[in-house]
Amino acid sequence: MAKSNQSTQRIEALVERVRSDIRLGIFEFGQPLRLIDLQEAYSASQFDVRQALLQLKALNVVEHRQNFGFRVREQEPSEPGDLRFVRLALERSAVPLVVARANAADLSEMKVSAEEFESHIEGARQDLARANVKFHQSVYRASQNVILTNLIDDLRTRSYVGTTGRWRSTEGRRASSAEHFEMVSAIERRDPAELDRLILLHIGNF
């Protein structure tokens, strides 16, 4: 039983690592995910890698084609717009909760995360993306609604893959950073209208 639990935990951790790297754009839409490459990249066994990919397939993050193996799932043409529509609905619905429930510790975490993103503006895209994920998680976690927070995080993951948007330029990265600080300020002032406006702007520009 102990070995079975260890195996399950190991595979779950691998699922999160691969999913995170897909989220950060390390793997692109349609990119093949060869077992041997993933074994080397994550220092994992072939069994663990295959089980992790099967779980990611169930989550609709990767797909499997007979005789071709696994690859990052391709988007349908309508998917970016559909994802943006649902993201706006969910993230805007979180606004009153975040504004009402964010406490001093939440605000401190948001500010630290916003500063971390700012520190990576001229750095590697992967580091910038990782800091971006951390910032937005800190914002929506303040809603204290775990289900809503997880749904938003999942949709952000699905919409992030392959997206470059304004991060192609330093100016675009600085604009994203400035909006992060403005969001924190709106939350600190308990201003739901301004936070809602910033979320619309932020998603629209990404």
Side-chain angles (χ1 to χ4, degrees):
M1 183 67 71
K3 288 185 177 179
S4 176
N5 288 338
Q6 290 176 0
S7 176
T8 299
Q9 292 173 1
R10 196 170 59 245
I11 292 168
E12 287 177 350
L14 183 58
V15 168
E16 289 308 311
R17 289 181 65 191
V18 177
R19 190 182 187 191
S20 175
D21 284 348
I22 290 173
R23 166 190 290 166
L24 298 176
I26 294 174
F27 302 111
E28 299 178 353
F29 285 128
Q31 181 174 338
L33 299 170
R34 298 175 61 226
L35 293 181
I36 190 168
D37 292 338
L38 297 182
Q39 286 176 244
E40 293 179 3
Y42 298 104
S43 300
S45 68
Q46 185 181 65
F47 175 82
D48 285 358
V49 169
R50 178 173 288 279
Q51 292 303 308
L53 289 173
L54 287 172
Q55 289 190 31
L56 289 166
K57 179 176 180 290
L59 293 170
N60 206 31
V61 176
V62 307
E63 59 189 9
H64 183 267
R65 296 175 63 191
Q66 192 170 3
N67 300 323
F68 290 94
F70 292 95
R71 66 177 186 174
V72 179
R73 187 181 64 83
E74 294 276 13
Q75 276 192 323
E76 297 294 332
S78 62
E79 193 167 352
D82 291 345
L83 281 169
R84 186 176 293 109
F85 178 87
V86 180
R87 275 189 61 196
L88 282 169
L90 288 179
E91 294 189 37
R92 294 179 75 187
S93 75
V95 167
L97 296 177
V98 172
V99 169
R101 297 176 177 178
N103 56 36
D106 294 325
L107 287 163
S108 176
E109 183 182 2
M110 291 177 207
K111 290 175 184 176
V112 169
S113 298
E115 289 167 358
E116 182 178 346
F117 180 92
E118 184 180 44
S119 73
H120 292 298
I121 284 176
E122 296 184 5
R125 175 187 166 83
Q126 294 173 17
D127 294 333
L128 190 75
R130 189 172 288 109
N132 188 62
V133 169
K134 186 176 179 180
F135 171 76
H136 288 284
Q137 286 177 337
S138 73
V139 170
Y140 294 112
R141 196 159 47 235
S143 72
Q144 299 178 27
N145 186 316
V146 175
I147 294 175
L148 180 59
T149 300
N150 288 342
L151 284 171
I152 289 172
D153 193 46
D154 179 60
L155 287 175
R156 289 184 61 82
T157 299
R158 291 176 59 185
S159 63
Y160 186 85
V161 183
T163 300
T164 52
R166 69 203 312 200
W167 289 1
R168 291 172 180 164
S169 68
T170 300
E171 292 75 15
R173 294 180 176 196
R174 291 192 188 282
S176 285
S177 180
E179 287 165 14
H180 289 169
F181 285 106
E182 289 175 26
M183 287 180 194
V184 177
S185 178
I187 296 167
E188 196 166 28
R189 297 194 314 271
R190 308 296 179 186
D191 188 343
E194 177 63 4
L195 181 58
D196 183 74
R197 184 190 72 80
L198 288 165
I199 287 172
L200 277 168
L201 177 66
H202 203 65
I203 294 176
N205 283 335
F206 193 70

